[in-house]
Amino acid sequence: AAVKKDPNGDEDGYHKFLQLWSEAFVDEAFQSYVASKLPDQQQQQLLDAISPQPGSMRPFMFDATIALGRSLCAAESVNGTEFVTGTDVFDAFREKVTLSQGASGMVEIDNETGSREYRTVRFVIWNGQQDKDSGGTIFRPVAQYIDGTWNARGNQSLIYRDGSSQPPASLGDVSVDYNYLGTTARSVGFTLTGVLVVLVIGIWIWSYVNRSHPVVRRSNVVFLTILNGGVLFTCLSTIFWGMDETITANQTTLNASCMASYGFYFGGLSFLMGALASKTVALYKAFWDTERKLLEFSSRQVVLYSAMLLSVNMFVIVIWLIVSPLEWVREYTGARDQYGRSIESFGQCQGDNMYIFSGILLAVNAVVALILIYFSSRARHIETEYDESLYIAIAQAVLFQSWCIGIPLLVAMQHDTQARFLILAITVFLSTMGISLLIFLPKMFAVKRHRNSPPPVISPSVSRSDQREAMLSSRDVEDDDGDENGKSRSVVDSSQFLVSGPFLRHITEAEAERNATSSAYNVSDSSKDSKPSFVVTGEDRVPT
């Protein structure tokens, strides 16, 4: 080994350690002292294992032992007593220990970490080279690191893979495709969300301005408000699906966005489907349950169905959040460059039970959607005011169809970040936009048509029993436009009711005059009941 001299011309600590080791190896008194410290059963075996050469690790072990001894001394000096704790010794080790000539070189300790300063460690490069004589591979020390500097060792040169001593060009920075969402895809998705937000705000303004109009009142303001709110929450989920490291590098924010996307989507879906369910169930019960007397539909039903579905969805999401919440994870694919460096990665939300909980949410809402579609199909022959039952049935079918198309596409494009986001954004946009237009456009046209027409005529008061008889008898009426098999369609005769509810048509002025002259609808003749009768409008039940 090369000998390094200190400024005074003396050998360094390493070579002093080598000299002392060699002298101790032949010193019988020292060997006897060492043997006294060894277990009797393994004494000779351990002595035989001691090599005349200390090897590469023993100088470091020697310095560690000396440093520990000095730390104990320094701790006793600081505390003024020989009773010290492990913390006292470690603090002294970090702050007091310095070996200018250790067996492994100069020893300095980092005050913060307690680790040895790497610049004080001596490193050696051993180069595998082909032996010219034998043709085999031998390892030679070609360079060493001393006091923070690499130096050639002797006349040996570092031989590279191509067999030359000329260093190859440095590798450039690796070009990694992080598959970020990108400005174009995010702009498209956020633009679609912005269109829906503007639409929702516009519908709310229109509903407020026309809140006193009969069309809006009979459609139930609470129903319209909750349905519109569901559209808003559902479309906002697109914003959270569009998050990645280009928006924020904060891991907590990215993790929260993963769960928020599901919360907003299924929360908004609860309002949407709850509002549609309230009218669908009311329609189904009113015209297919012969025991019911009147068509009943109120704001309470809208809130009840929405709250029930929201509770189920939020319960699943809360359990999900407690058990194994989603986290934003970036994973590298198997793609590598010619030097074995990874060149592609994907960032996405992942969790241990992601598919279980998302499957439960989809299954619950799909079952509800199928039930509502079934109810709508059973009541498909019923004529309703502004054809609202038809549009509600189509809206439910649009929502279910968006899942049938969107989910398989998402599975197929799970590793294409931009395609996956665009599928989500477009699916949410088309389904919610379709529902909004199907529900609100007919009402807007009706308001426009009736704006300059006379207000609807109120027919005379009729008793509850007369209304029930009229509704039950209306089921026997055959519609001239029946299907090819001659099956009759149930037609609600709006002349039997006060200003019709959301499922009934307007009465005409001529029908009102006929009702007024008919003894069958004279309150005094038709019923002795002094209580007012009720009909159901879009608002809660109103006494006639």
Side-chain angles (χ1 to χ4, degrees), residues 350-390:
Q350 291 185 1
D352 294 337
N353 300 300
M354 175 180 176
Y355 295 107
I356 295 177
F357 284 103
S358 59
I360 292 174
L361 289 170
L362 286 172
V364 168
N365 290 274
V367 168
V368 173
L370 287 173
I371 292 174
L372 295 181
I373 292 173
Y374 169 75
F375 283 175
S376 298
S377 67
R378 292 295 302 272
R380 66 187 182 277
H381 296 301
I382 299 172
E383 290 184 356
T384 56
E385 188 177 40
Y386 316 125
D387 290 328
E388 190 171 44
S389 62
L390 173 63

mmCIF file of all heavy atoms in Angstrom, residues 350-390:
data_model
loop_
_atom_site.group_PDB
_atom_site.id
_atom_site.type_symbol
_atom_site.label_atom_id
_atom_site.label_comp_id
_atom_site.label_asym_id
_atom_site.label_seq_id
_atom_site.Cartn_x
_atom_site.Cartn_y
_atom_site.Cartn_z
ATOM 1 N N GLN A 350 -54.760 4.690 -6.266
ATOM 2 C CA GLN A 350 -54.726 3.262 -5.976
ATOM 3 C C GLN A 350 -55.055 3.026 -4.509
ATOM 4 O O GLN A 350 -54.846 3.896 -3.660
ATOM 5 C CB GLN A 350 -53.362 2.653 -6.304
ATOM 6 C CG GLN A 350 -53.035 2.589 -7.780
ATOM 7 C CD GLN A 350 -51.734 1.866 -8.054
ATOM 8 O OE1 GLN A 350 -51.062 1.376 -7.145
ATOM 9 N NE2 GLN A 350 -51.352 1.791 -9.320
ATOM 10 N N GLY A 351 -55.564 1.843 -4.229
ATOM 11 C CA GLY A 351 -55.881 1.444 -2.860
ATOM 12 C C GLY A 351 -56.033 -0.055 -2.786
ATOM 13 O O GLY A 351 -56.312 -0.717 -3.795
ATOM 14 N N ASP A 352 -55.851 -0.611 -1.587
ATOM 15 C CA ASP A 352 -55.903 -2.059 -1.424
ATOM 16 C C ASP A 352 -57.264 -2.636 -1.803
ATOM 17 O O ASP A 352 -57.354 -3.723 -2.365
ATOM 18 C CB ASP A 352 -55.567 -2.439 0.020
ATOM 19 C CG ASP A 352 -54.127 -2.106 0.381
ATOM 20 O OD1 ASP A 352 -53.305 -2.013 -0.554
ATOM 21 O OD2 ASP A 352 -53.831 -1.925 1.569
ATOM 22 N N ASN A 353 -58.335 -1.910 -1.469
ATOM 23 C CA ASN A 353 -59.695 -2.414 -1.709
ATOM 24 C C ASN A 353 -60.454 -1.518 -2.693
ATOM 25 O O ASN A 353 -61.675 -1.392 -2.605
ATOM 26 C CB ASN A 353 -60.464 -2.505 -0.390
ATOM 27 C CG ASN A 353 -59.789 -3.428 0.603
ATOM 28 O OD1 ASN A 353 -59.615 -4.600 0.344
ATOM 29 N ND2 ASN A 353 -59.383 -2.883 1.749
ATOM 30 N N MET A 354 -59.721 -0.923 -3.626
ATOM 31 C CA MET A 354 -60.323 0.024 -4.558
ATOM 32 C C MET A 354 -61.447 -0.618 -5.370
ATOM 33 O O MET A 354 -62.550 -0.067 -5.482
ATOM 34 C CB MET A 354 -59.237 0.577 -5.481
ATOM 35 C CG MET A 354 -59.765 1.482 -6.586
ATOM 36 S SD MET A 354 -58.414 2.094 -7.611
ATOM 37 C CE MET A 354 -59.336 2.986 -8.856
ATOM 38 N N TYR A 355 -61.180 -1.784 -5.934
ATOM 39 C CA TYR A 355 -62.174 -2.414 -6.811
ATOM 40 C C TYR A 355 -63.363 -2.954 -6.015
ATOM 41 O O TYR A 355 -64.477 -3.021 -6.534
ATOM 42 C CB TYR A 355 -61.509 -3.533 -7.619
ATOM 43 C CG TYR A 355 -60.470 -3.019 -8.576
ATOM 44 C CD1 TYR A 355 -59.113 -3.210 -8.341
ATOM 45 C CD2 TYR A 355 -60.842 -2.305 -9.715
ATOM 46 C CE1 TYR A 355 -58.150 -2.723 -9.210
ATOM 47 C CE2 TYR A 355 -59.884 -1.818 -10.596
ATOM 48 C CZ TYR A 355 -58.543 -2.029 -10.333
ATOM 49 O OH TYR A 355 -57.597 -1.537 -11.192
ATOM 50 N N ILE A 356 -63.141 -3.313 -4.773
ATOM 51 C CA ILE A 356 -64.246 -3.817 -3.950
ATOM 52 C C ILE A 356 -65.230 -2.694 -3.644
ATOM 53 O O ILE A 356 -66.449 -2.819 -3.871
ATOM 54 C CB ILE A 356 -63.707 -4.434 -2.641
ATOM 55 C CG1 ILE A 356 -62.870 -5.672 -2.951
ATOM 56 C CG2 ILE A 356 -64.858 -4.775 -1.689
ATOM 57 C CD1 ILE A 356 -62.232 -6.301 -1.726
ATOM 58 N N PHE A 357 -64.727 -1.562 -3.130
ATOM 59 C CA PHE A 357 -65.619 -0.472 -2.734
ATOM 60 C C PHE A 357 -66.242 0.218 -3.945
ATOM 61 O O PHE A 357 -67.429 0.559 -3.919
ATOM 62 C CB PHE A 357 -64.852 0.540 -1.876
ATOM 63 C CG PHE A 357 -64.620 0.082 -0.469
ATOM 64 C CD1 PHE A 357 -63.387 -0.390 -0.070
ATOM 65 C CD2 PHE A 357 -65.640 0.110 0.459
ATOM 66 C CE1 PHE A 357 -63.160 -0.823 1.225
ATOM 67 C CE2 PHE A 357 -65.435 -0.315 1.765
ATOM 68 C CZ PHE A 357 -64.199 -0.786 2.147
ATOM 69 N N SER A 358 -65.458 0.432 -4.992
ATOM 70 C CA SER A 358 -66.040 1.055 -6.184
ATOM 71 C C SER A 358 -67.072 0.129 -6.819
ATOM 72 O O SER A 358 -68.098 0.586 -7.343
ATOM 73 C CB SER A 358 -64.938 1.394 -7.194
ATOM 74 O OG SER A 358 -64.220 0.228 -7.579
ATOM 75 N N GLY A 359 -66.828 -1.189 -6.750
ATOM 76 C CA GLY A 359 -67.809 -2.142 -7.262
ATOM 77 C C GLY A 359 -69.101 -2.119 -6.470
ATOM 78 O O GLY A 359 -70.198 -2.213 -7.040
ATOM 79 N N ILE A 360 -68.988 -1.972 -5.144
ATOM 80 C CA ILE A 360 -70.194 -1.884 -4.307
ATOM 81 C C ILE A 360 -71.000 -0.645 -4.665
ATOM 82 O O ILE A 360 -72.238 -0.692 -4.801
ATOM 83 C CB ILE A 360 -69.810 -1.873 -2.814
ATOM 84 C CG1 ILE A 360 -69.226 -3.223 -2.403
ATOM 85 C CG2 ILE A 360 -71.015 -1.539 -1.945
ATOM 86 C CD1 ILE A 360 -68.683 -3.248 -0.994
ATOM 87 N N LEU A 361 -70.326 0.489 -4.813
ATOM 88 C CA LEU A 361 -71.024 1.736 -5.160
ATOM 89 C C LEU A 361 -71.734 1.613 -6.505
ATOM 90 O O LEU A 361 -72.896 2.009 -6.648
ATOM 91 C CB LEU A 361 -70.027 2.890 -5.186
ATOM 92 C CG LEU A 361 -69.481 3.353 -3.832
ATOM 93 C CD1 LEU A 361 -68.328 4.322 -4.021
ATOM 94 C CD2 LEU A 361 -70.578 3.998 -2.999
ATOM 95 N N LEU A 362 -71.040 1.072 -7.503
ATOM 96 C CA LEU A 362 -71.655 0.919 -8.814
ATOM 97 C C LEU A 362 -72.820 -0.064 -8.773
ATOM 98 O O LEU A 362 -73.860 0.163 -9.406
ATOM 99 C CB LEU A 362 -70.610 0.444 -9.823
ATOM 100 C CG LEU A 362 -69.587 1.491 -10.278
ATOM 101 C CD1 LEU A 362 -68.503 0.836 -11.117
ATOM 102 C CD2 LEU A 362 -70.269 2.592 -11.076
ATOM 103 N N ALA A 363 -72.661 -1.147 -8.008
ATOM 104 C CA ALA A 363 -73.727 -2.148 -7.938
ATOM 105 C C ALA A 363 -74.983 -1.574 -7.292
ATOM 106 O O ALA A 363 -76.100 -1.787 -7.790
ATOM 107 C CB ALA A 363 -73.236 -3.367 -7.154
ATOM 108 N N VAL A 364 -74.822 -0.830 -6.206
ATOM 109 C CA VAL A 364 -75.980 -0.242 -5.511
ATOM 110 C C VAL A 364 -76.736 0.703 -6.440
ATOM 111 O O VAL A 364 -77.973 0.626 -6.579
ATOM 112 C CB VAL A 364 -75.524 0.498 -4.239
ATOM 113 C CG1 VAL A 364 -76.659 1.348 -3.675
ATOM 114 C CG2 VAL A 364 -75.045 -0.493 -3.197
ATOM 115 N N ASN A 365 -76.016 1.589 -7.094
ATOM 116 C CA ASN A 365 -76.673 2.566 -7.956
ATOM 117 C C ASN A 365 -77.222 1.932 -9.229
ATOM 118 O O ASN A 365 -78.249 2.369 -9.756
ATOM 119 C CB ASN A 365 -75.694 3.694 -8.295
ATOM 120 C CG ASN A 365 -75.378 4.570 -7.099
ATOM 121 O OD1 ASN A 365 -76.103 5.518 -6.799
ATOM 122 N ND2 ASN A 365 -74.304 4.255 -6.400
ATOM 123 N N ALA A 366 -76.550 0.893 -9.733
ATOM 124 C CA ALA A 366 -77.058 0.206 -10.918
ATOM 125 C C ALA A 366 -78.365 -0.518 -10.607
ATOM 126 O O ALA A 366 -79.295 -0.524 -11.429
ATOM 127 C CB ALA A 366 -76.014 -0.779 -11.437
ATOM 128 N N VAL A 367 -78.451 -1.142 -9.427
ATOM 129 C CA VAL A 367 -79.690 -1.824 -9.037
ATOM 130 C C VAL A 367 -80.838 -0.825 -8.926
ATOM 131 O O VAL A 367 -81.952 -1.079 -9.411
ATOM 132 C CB VAL A 367 -79.485 -2.577 -7.706
ATOM 133 C CG1 VAL A 367 -80.828 -3.045 -7.138
ATOM 134 C CG2 VAL A 367 -78.566 -3.762 -7.904
ATOM 135 N N VAL A 368 -80.569 0.327 -8.303
ATOM 136 C CA VAL A 368 -81.605 1.358 -8.190
ATOM 137 C C VAL A 368 -82.033 1.829 -9.578
ATOM 138 O O VAL A 368 -83.231 2.000 -9.851
ATOM 139 C CB VAL A 368 -81.087 2.549 -7.347
ATOM 140 C CG1 VAL A 368 -82.090 3.701 -7.363
ATOM 141 C CG2 VAL A 368 -80.824 2.106 -5.913
ATOM 142 N N ALA A 369 -81.061 2.042 -10.470
ATOM 143 C CA ALA A 369 -81.384 2.501 -11.817
ATOM 144 C C ALA A 369 -82.232 1.469 -12.568
ATOM 145 O O ALA A 369 -83.200 1.829 -13.255
ATOM 146 C CB ALA A 369 -80.096 2.795 -12.591
ATOM 147 N N LEU A 370 -81.891 0.196 -12.428
ATOM 148 C CA LEU A 370 -82.664 -0.850 -13.108
ATOM 149 C C LEU A 370 -84.093 -0.931 -12.567
ATOM 150 O O LEU A 370 -85.044 -1.141 -13.327
ATOM 151 C CB LEU A 370 -81.965 -2.196 -12.947
ATOM 152 C CG LEU A 370 -80.682 -2.387 -13.764
ATOM 153 C CD1 LEU A 370 -79.985 -3.685 -13.384
ATOM 154 C CD2 LEU A 370 -80.988 -2.360 -15.256
ATOM 155 N N ILE A 371 -84.250 -0.769 -11.259
ATOM 156 C CA ILE A 371 -85.598 -0.785 -10.673
ATOM 157 C C ILE A 371 -86.432 0.369 -11.216
ATOM 158 O O ILE A 371 -87.609 0.207 -11.571
ATOM 159 C CB ILE A 371 -85.508 -0.721 -9.136
ATOM 160 C CG1 ILE A 371 -84.899 -2.022 -8.596
ATOM 161 C CG2 ILE A 371 -86.895 -0.493 -8.521
ATOM 162 C CD1 ILE A 371 -84.640 -1.993 -7.107
ATOM 163 N N LEU A 372 -85.815 1.541 -11.303
ATOM 164 C CA LEU A 372 -86.538 2.715 -11.814
ATOM 165 C C LEU A 372 -86.881 2.541 -13.293
ATOM 166 O O LEU A 372 -87.963 2.950 -13.730
ATOM 167 C CB LEU A 372 -85.690 3.967 -11.606
ATOM 168 C CG LEU A 372 -85.410 4.353 -10.144
ATOM 169 C CD1 LEU A 372 -84.572 5.623 -10.084
ATOM 170 C CD2 LEU A 372 -86.697 4.529 -9.366
ATOM 171 N N ILE A 373 -85.964 1.956 -14.044
ATOM 172 C CA ILE A 373 -86.265 1.704 -15.458
ATOM 173 C C ILE A 373 -87.428 0.722 -15.581
ATOM 174 O O ILE A 373 -88.299 0.866 -16.451
ATOM 175 C CB ILE A 373 -85.004 1.175 -16.171
ATOM 176 C CG1 ILE A 373 -83.942 2.286 -16.258
ATOM 177 C CG2 ILE A 373 -85.340 0.668 -17.565
ATOM 178 C CD1 ILE A 373 -82.610 1.812 -16.801
ATOM 179 N N TYR A 374 -87.475 -0.273 -14.713
ATOM 180 C CA TYR A 374 -88.584 -1.232 -14.722
ATOM 181 C C TYR A 374 -89.913 -0.534 -14.400
ATOM 182 O O TYR A 374 -90.915 -0.738 -15.085
ATOM 183 C CB TYR A 374 -88.314 -2.333 -13.716
ATOM 184 C CG TYR A 374 -89.521 -3.220 -13.463
ATOM 185 C CD1 TYR A 374 -89.923 -4.169 -14.396
ATOM 186 C CD2 TYR A 374 -90.258 -3.092 -12.288
ATOM 187 C CE1 TYR A 374 -91.028 -4.981 -14.170
ATOM 188 C CE2 TYR A 374 -91.367 -3.888 -12.047
ATOM 189 C CZ TYR A 374 -91.748 -4.832 -12.999
ATOM 190 O OH TYR A 374 -92.849 -5.617 -12.764
ATOM 191 N N PHE A 375 -89.907 0.308 -13.365
ATOM 192 C CA PHE A 375 -91.126 1.050 -13.016
ATOM 193 C C PHE A 375 -91.577 1.922 -14.188
ATOM 194 O O PHE A 375 -92.768 2.007 -14.486
ATOM 195 C CB PHE A 375 -90.881 1.929 -11.787
ATOM 196 C CG PHE A 375 -90.886 1.170 -10.496
ATOM 197 C CD1 PHE A 375 -90.575 1.805 -9.297
ATOM 198 C CD2 PHE A 375 -91.179 -0.180 -10.452
ATOM 199 C CE1 PHE A 375 -90.580 1.112 -8.101
ATOM 200 C CE2 PHE A 375 -91.179 -0.884 -9.265
ATOM 201 C CZ PHE A 375 -90.885 -0.239 -8.080
ATOM 202 N N SER A 376 -90.617 2.566 -14.825
ATOM 203 C CA SER A 376 -90.962 3.448 -15.944
ATOM 204 C C SER A 376 -91.536 2.648 -17.105
ATOM 205 O O SER A 376 -92.461 3.093 -17.786
ATOM 206 C CB SER A 376 -89.724 4.218 -16.411
ATOM 207 O OG SER A 376 -89.231 5.038 -15.378
ATOM 208 N N SER A 377 -90.993 1.453 -17.345
ATOM 209 C CA SER A 377 -91.500 0.640 -18.445
ATOM 210 C C SER A 377 -92.929 0.160 -18.172
ATOM 211 O O SER A 377 -93.739 0.045 -19.093
ATOM 212 C CB SER A 377 -90.580 -0.553 -18.670
ATOM 213 O OG SER A 377 -90.619 -1.442 -17.565
ATOM 214 N N ARG A 378 -93.236 -0.115 -16.908
ATOM 215 C CA ARG A 378 -94.583 -0.546 -16.576
ATOM 216 C C ARG A 378 -95.596 0.580 -16.768
ATOM 217 O O ARG A 378 -96.768 0.343 -17.086
ATOM 218 C CB ARG A 378 -94.643 -1.029 -15.117
ATOM 219 C CG ARG A 378 -93.887 -2.313 -14.856
ATOM 220 C CD ARG A 378 -94.501 -3.497 -15.588
ATOM 221 N NE ARG A 378 -95.880 -3.718 -15.228
ATOM 222 C CZ ARG A 378 -96.296 -4.465 -14.207
ATOM 223 N NH1 ARG A 378 -95.403 -5.059 -13.432
ATOM 224 N NH2 ARG A 378 -97.578 -4.612 -13.964
ATOM 225 N N ALA A 379 -95.151 1.803 -16.558
ATOM 226 C CA ALA A 379 -96.056 2.954 -16.665
ATOM 227 C C ALA A 379 -95.894 3.685 -17.992
ATOM 228 O O ALA A 379 -96.294 4.840 -18.128
ATOM 229 C CB ALA A 379 -95.802 3.913 -15.506
ATOM 230 N N ARG A 380 -95.325 3.007 -18.976
ATOM 231 C CA ARG A 380 -95.016 3.683 -20.245
ATOM 232 C C ARG A 380 -96.270 4.077 -21.030
ATOM 233 O O ARG A 380 -96.214 4.929 -21.907
ATOM 234 C CB ARG A 380 -94.133 2.789 -21.107
ATOM 235 C CG ARG A 380 -94.796 1.504 -21.579
ATOM 236 C CD ARG A 380 -93.812 0.602 -22.286
ATOM 237 N NE ARG A 380 -94.426 -0.610 -22.785
ATOM 238 C CZ ARG A 380 -94.645 -1.687 -22.065
ATOM 239 N NH1 ARG A 380 -94.324 -1.689 -20.770
ATOM 240 N NH2 ARG A 380 -95.204 -2.758 -22.594
ATOM 241 N N HIS A 381 -97.442 3.447 -20.766
ATOM 242 C CA HIS A 381 -98.653 3.741 -21.530
ATOM 243 C C HIS A 381 -99.435 4.916 -20.936
ATOM 244 O O HIS A 381 -100.483 5.280 -21.458
ATOM 245 C CB HIS A 381 -99.565 2.515 -21.565
ATOM 246 C CG HIS A 381 -98.951 1.352 -22.273
ATOM 247 N ND1 HIS A 381 -98.553 1.403 -23.581
ATOM 248 C CD2 HIS A 381 -98.645 0.105 -21.830
ATOM 249 C CE1 HIS A 381 -98.047 0.242 -23.926
ATOM 250 N NE2 HIS A 381 -98.088 -0.571 -22.883
ATOM 251 N N ILE A 382 -98.940 5.503 -19.878
ATOM 252 C CA ILE A 382 -99.675 6.577 -19.222
ATOM 253 C C ILE A 382 -99.300 7.909 -19.848
ATOM 254 O O ILE A 382 -98.123 8.239 -19.970
ATOM 255 C CB ILE A 382 -99.369 6.611 -17.714
ATOM 256 C CG1 ILE A 382 -99.786 5.287 -17.081
ATOM 257 C CG2 ILE A 382 -100.070 7.774 -17.050
ATOM 258 C CD1 ILE A 382 -99.353 5.154 -15.642
ATOM 259 N N GLU A 383 -100.316 8.681 -20.246
ATOM 260 C CA GLU A 383 -100.089 10.024 -20.784
ATOM 261 C C GLU A 383 -99.988 10.989 -19.624
ATOM 262 O O GLU A 383 -100.849 11.023 -18.746
ATOM 263 C CB GLU A 383 -101.230 10.436 -21.710
ATOM 264 C CG GLU A 383 -101.260 9.664 -23.017
ATOM 265 C CD GLU A 383 -102.343 10.177 -23.944
ATOM 266 O OE1 GLU A 383 -103.081 11.076 -23.501
ATOM 267 O OE2 GLU A 383 -102.441 9.691 -25.070
ATOM 268 N N THR A 384 -98.936 11.779 -19.596
ATOM 269 C CA THR A 384 -98.729 12.735 -18.509
ATOM 270 C C THR A 384 -98.503 14.120 -19.072
ATOM 271 O O THR A 384 -98.182 14.302 -20.239
ATOM 272 C CB THR A 384 -97.493 12.334 -17.678
ATOM 273 O OG1 THR A 384 -96.376 12.233 -18.544
ATOM 274 C CG2 THR A 384 -97.729 11.016 -16.973
ATOM 275 N N GLU A 385 -98.671 15.082 -18.199
ATOM 276 C CA GLU A 385 -98.512 16.469 -18.610
ATOM 277 C C GLU A 385 -97.098 16.724 -19.099
ATOM 278 O O GLU A 385 -96.120 16.330 -18.454
ATOM 279 C CB GLU A 385 -98.825 17.384 -17.425
ATOM 280 C CG GLU A 385 -98.885 18.858 -17.792
ATOM 281 C CD GLU A 385 -99.258 19.680 -16.583
ATOM 282 O OE1 GLU A 385 -98.786 19.387 -15.491
ATOM 283 O OE2 GLU A 385 -100.038 20.618 -16.751
ATOM 284 N N TYR A 386 -96.956 17.367 -20.245
ATOM 285 C CA TYR A 386 -95.682 17.680 -20.888
ATOM 286 C C TYR A 386 -94.883 16.398 -21.166
ATOM 287 O O TYR A 386 -93.670 16.454 -21.357
ATOM 288 C CB TYR A 386 -94.835 18.627 -20.029
ATOM 289 C CG TYR A 386 -95.611 19.756 -19.431
ATOM 290 C CD1 TYR A 386 -95.597 19.986 -18.056
ATOM 291 C CD2 TYR A 386 -96.396 20.598 -20.235
ATOM 292 C CE1 TYR A 386 -96.321 21.011 -17.499
ATOM 293 C CE2 TYR A 386 -97.131 21.631 -19.670
ATOM 294 C CZ TYR A 386 -97.099 21.829 -18.313
ATOM 295 O OH TYR A 386 -97.821 22.842 -17.752
ATOM 296 N N ASP A 387 -95.554 15.217 -21.185
ATOM 297 C CA ASP A 387 -94.890 13.931 -21.400
ATOM 298 C C ASP A 387 -93.732 13.731 -20.418
ATOM 299 O O ASP A 387 -92.683 13.178 -20.739
ATOM 300 C CB ASP A 387 -94.351 13.831 -22.835
ATOM 301 C CG ASP A 387 -95.488 13.706 -23.840
ATOM 302 O OD1 ASP A 387 -96.521 13.105 -23.483
ATOM 303 O OD2 ASP A 387 -95.332 14.216 -24.964
ATOM 304 N N GLU A 388 -93.943 14.177 -19.172
ATOM 305 C CA GLU A 388 -92.855 14.136 -18.199
ATOM 306 C C GLU A 388 -92.421 12.723 -17.856
ATOM 307 O O GLU A 388 -91.240 12.440 -17.679
ATOM 308 C CB GLU A 388 -93.252 14.871 -16.918
ATOM 309 C CG GLU A 388 -92.083 15.075 -15.969
ATOM 310 C CD GLU A 388 -92.442 15.977 -14.818
ATOM 311 O OE1 GLU A 388 -93.536 15.799 -14.240
ATOM 312 O OE2 GLU A 388 -91.652 16.871 -14.489
ATOM 313 N N SER A 389 -93.382 11.788 -17.767
ATOM 314 C CA SER A 389 -93.016 10.405 -17.447
ATOM 315 C C SER A 389 -92.118 9.813 -18.529
ATOM 316 O O SER A 389 -91.202 9.042 -18.246
ATOM 317 C CB SER A 389 -94.274 9.553 -17.284
ATOM 318 O OG SER A 389 -95.009 9.511 -18.517
ATOM 319 N N LEU A 390 -92.357 10.177 -19.786
ATOM 320 C CA LEU A 390 -91.528 9.696 -20.879
ATOM 321 C C LEU A 390 -90.105 10.215 -20.752
ATOM 322 O O LEU A 390 -89.128 9.468 -20.885
ATOM 323 C CB LEU A 390 -92.127 10.128 -22.220
ATOM 324 C CG LEU A 390 -91.281 9.838 -23.466
ATOM 325 C CD1 LEU A 390 -91.086 8.340 -23.630
ATOM 326 C CD2 LEU A 390 -91.915 10.455 -24.705
#
